[in-house]
Amino acid sequence: MTERIDALAYQADERDLEWWKNAAIYQIYPRSFADANGDGTGDLEGVRSRLPYLKSLGIDAIWYTPWYVSPLADGGYDVADYRAIDPAFGDLDAAEALIQSALELGIRTIIDVVPNHVSNEHEWFKAALASEPGSKERARFWFKDGKGQDGTQMPTNWVSEFRGTPWSRTHNSDGTPGEWYLHLFTPEQPDLNWTNPEVVQEHLDVLKFWFDRGAAGIRIDSAALPVKDTAFPEVPEDTTTEPHPYVARPELHDIYRGWRALADSYDDPKILVGEVWLPDLEEFAKFLRPDEMHTAFNFDFMSRPWDSAEMRASIQQTLDAHLPIGAPATWVLSNHDITRPVTRYGREKSGFSFADKAFNVPTDLALGTARARAAAMITGALPGVLYVYQGDELGLPEFEDLPPCAIQDPMYERYEKVAPGRDGCRVPLPWTVDDAHNFGFSQGTNPQPSWLPQPAGWRDFSVERQDLDPHSMLNLYRAILDGRKSIGDVAEGDFAWLDLDVPESSEILAFKRGEKFACITNFSKETLELPAGMKTILSSSSQTSHTQVTPDTTVWVELV
Ligand code: GLC
């Protein structure tokens, strides 16, 4: 089967080797997308059954969050075996079949690779725990002696990315306390030692394993974190002037250069997309040099509040950072870690930051939905790559009332249960109005309840309902994704700000693509009268006339 996939991929890529520069990429969280066997957990067969839906949405590629064997201590970002699919999702044959079926519809596959850590149930870590300090098994990870008398203090005072300590102490074979090991995330996610050539080689082999099975590229998880300063210093007070012991270390770039060389060695070159959370745009851009990653996620835009000046600044900075290195920008409104846009944009504080996550933050969902629709049209019209997280195209709100006993995200525990964690955006999708089948999420007779409960009102968000409504979020997304291809200027026109000569201009975000297309968003409280010579071709609001833009609305216009 592998050979056939390669042949197919090659034919497709010959038509367009640069597909990734303006692709629309749909993110699937396999656990929550579609459940073919009715066990309450999504699976690969479920995805395969929904490929026609994805085709009709108009996407170019799917990015899957990890589908490998995993104890799911962090939703699959704790990989126990990269060369096998988690039995809850299917098996390797199912993955190959899915990659191939998608390709037949012109949809490419991007898989997730998590270089910073593996699962504590990975063979390597089990072997490390069973081996003595100083052994080659332990040298694949960061095992260190503790400080102080009897080594009872942690080797450093670093803080975990999920709060709390990033060190856990092991026990020696005689039961006495032993070395500590590093885990920047949960204790079930031990960090790998990237100075070890075995770690480097293993990842090249894993990439090859999946590229040979037809994957068109990889999403690189926590891409700025894998390399550590081997002296293990404390984090300096000012990391703008002094190097950070584990964020964006210069040695990372050689690793990604090695990956890029492998990716480029295919007849249908593979792509690398980095999850690079770095406020310093210069450092960010280094990852996008021509011999490193193709693109990286742009989290800045997603983090900004609903405000024209903020969004304008973010767009400008993003384009400025990408232009000199010739890499396309990416536009992201959410993902499996982020509060859903319709909930976020309906809040008083409408930007996103993990630190702001809390229970019972009021939101106006009608307002949030209007703004999320408008934001989808902004990101859809910007130059570069568009990411759509499953369920955003249905306008799903964050499920904020998940019963605490149902929450599985480790962030909830690590934040001492004062914030809800990330499961509220990971709830299984509603496909139909049939509640006996978890709103169509689960197929088969007598399915189990879904692994996270769905709110009762979600039948109204179902694909079945939205299909019939020309103004639904789903049909808006279809129009946006179609417009990115069918409107020549949106596909390739140059970007330029458009200054409208109107009284509320500071609260209007307007830009042109090419000579004939503009995207205009009204952030003010007044209805905007469009200047003459503009014809609305798509609006995020069902009420907008052809010459007006109501508040919290985006229109795409033809300049005539
Ligand atoms: C990334 C993933 C997130 C995961 C973390 C650790 O940020 O998006 O879901 O928890 O890495 O792997």
Side-chain angles (χ1 to χ4, degrees), residues 31 33 40 51 82 99 234 281 334 345 347 349 458 488:
R31 236 176 152 183
F33 185 72
L51 285 176
Y82 270 113
I99 293 171
E234 293 301 339
L281 284 176
S334 79
Y345 288 137
R347 287 184 174 153
K349 217 171 164 185
W458 274 27

Side-chain angles (χ1 to χ4, degrees), residues 204-322:
L204 287 169
D205 292 349
V206 165
L207 298 196
K208 191 166 181 319
F209 180 90
W210 284 102
F211 289 161
D212 289 349
R213 278 166 182 75
I218 54 165
R219 178 255 187 198
I220 309 168
D221 185 72
S222 304
L225 301 180
V227 172
K228 315 295 179 304
D229 181 339
T230 54
F232 281 82
E234 293 301 339
V235 177
E237 266 182 28
D238 183 357
T239 51
T240 56
T241 51
E242 285 186 75
H244 196 288
Y246 58 86
V247 177
R249 303 285 306 168
E251 301 86 343
L252 279 171
H253 299 288
D254 277 340
I255 298 171
Y256 298 133
R257 285 193 184 103
W259 293 15
R260 178 64 181 257
L262 174 68
D264 283 349
S265 72
Y266 284 78
D267 288 338
D268 54 330
K270 312 298 185 179
I271 65 150
L272 315 179
V273 185
E275 188 204 20
V276 185
W277 286 91
L278 283 181
D280 179 341
L281 284 176
E282 239 173 81
E283 279 300 316
F284 174 88
K286 284 186 187 163
F287 288 86
L288 299 176
R289 288 176 289 201
D291 58 348
E292 297 192 42
M293 299 175 189
H294 295 72
T295 58
F297 291 104
N298 165 22
F299 295 120
D300 184 73
F301 186 79
M302 176 199 81
S303 308
R304 301 282 183 142
W306 183 255
D307 177 278
S308 56
E310 290 266 1
M311 288 192 166
R312 184 179 170 124
S314 179
I315 293 169
Q316 187 65 57
Q317 284 165 21
T318 302
L319 296 177
D320 287 349
H322 286 76

Side-chain angles (χ1 to χ4, degrees), residues 369-378 469-480 483 487 517-522 527-528 530 535-558:
T369 301
R371 290 172 172 177
R373 292 171 64 99
M377 282 183 62
I378 299 174
D469 173 4
H471 297 298
S472 67
M473 186 72 106
L474 176 57
N475 281 321
L476 178 68
Y477 262 89
R478 285 182 177 141
I480 293 170
I487 305 170
F517 174 89
C519 175
I520 300 170
T521 309
N522 184 1
T527 293
L528 165 73
L530 285 176
K535 188 177 140 213
T536 300
I537 49 178
L538 185 66
S539 168
S540 66
S541 141
S542 54
Q543 290 132 42
T544 311
S545 82
H546 278 285
T547 54
Q548 292 185 327
V549 189
T550 48
D552 299 308
T553 296
T554 296
V555 291
W556 286 4
V557 300
E558 193 184 318

Side-chain angles (χ1 to χ4, degrees), residues 42-56:
D43 45 47
L44 302 190
E45 208 36 55
V47 180
R48 198 142 83 107
S49 73
R50 298 293 183 186
L51 285 176
Y53 168 80
L54 295 173
K55 177 74 187 163
S56 88

Side-chain angles (χ1 to χ4, degrees), residues 300-494:
D300 184 73
F301 186 79
M302 176 199 81
S303 308
R304 301 282 183 142
W306 183 255
D307 177 278
S308 56
E310 290 266 1
M311 288 192 166
R312 184 179 170 124
S314 179
I315 293 169
Q316 187 65 57
Q317 284 165 21
T318 302
L319 296 177
D320 287 349
H322 286 76
L323 195 68
I325 37 172
T330 64
W331 306 100
V332 180
L333 287 177
S334 79
N335 64 35
H336 64 290
D337 296 329
I338 310 299
T339 309
R340 290 275 190 192
V342 302
T343 302
R344 211 170 70 216
Y345 288 137
R347 287 184 174 153
E348 198 174 320
K349 217 171 164 185
S350 54
F352 177 78
S353 127
F354 285 108
D356 291 340
K357 282 205 84 146
F359 285 105
N360 303 321
V361 184
T363 182
D364 174 343
L365 283 181
L367 180 66
T369 301
R371 290 172 172 177
R373 292 171 64 99
M377 282 183 62
I378 299 174
T379 51
L382 286 166
V385 186
L386 179 69
Y387 279 86
V388 179
Y389 174 48
Q390 69 176 40
D392 275 2
E393 84 278 22
L394 303 177
L396 296 183
E398 186 84 359
F399 185 14
E400 302 205 274
D401 301 319
L402 273 171
C405 62
I407 299 181
Q408 302 197 16
D409 178 20
M411 264 185 135
Y412 173 58
E413 291 274 345
R414 305 267 310 180
Y415 276 57
E416 292 171 348
K417 303 187 178 176
V418 297
R422 301 165 294 178
D423 281 348
C425 66
R426 299 172 175 180
V427 176
L429 297 192
W431 292 91
T432 66
V433 297
D434 170 10
D435 54 2
H437 285 85
N438 303 317
F439 300 132
F441 167 68
S442 296
Q443 295 158 31
T445 46
N446 250 342
Q448 299 293 308
S450 54
W451 74 278
L452 284 176
Q454 300 160 303
W458 274 27
R459 68 165 50 75
D460 293 337
F461 291 102
S462 66
V463 174
E464 184 179 2
R465 281 270 159 91
Q466 298 205 31
D467 256 339
L468 305 172
D469 173 4
H471 297 298
S472 67
M473 186 72 106
L474 176 57
N475 281 321
L476 178 68
Y477 262 89
R478 285 182 177 141
I480 293 170
L481 295 178
D482 176 67
R484 286 170 63 83
K485 294 209 164 71
S486 61
I487 305 170
D489 278 337
V490 182
E492 5 197 75
D494 287 339

Side-chain angles (χ1 to χ4, degrees), residues 12-24 60 108 260 268-269 271 294-295 326 328 384-385 491-492:
D13 279 355
E14 266 192 327
R15 282 200 305 275
D16 183 12
L17 277 175
E18 305 212 313
W19 66 273
W20 52 273
K21 291 194 169 171
N22 57 4
D60 301 297
R108 292 173 167 85
R260 178 64 181 257
D268 54 330
I271 65 150
H294 295 72
T295 58
V385 186
E492 5 197 75

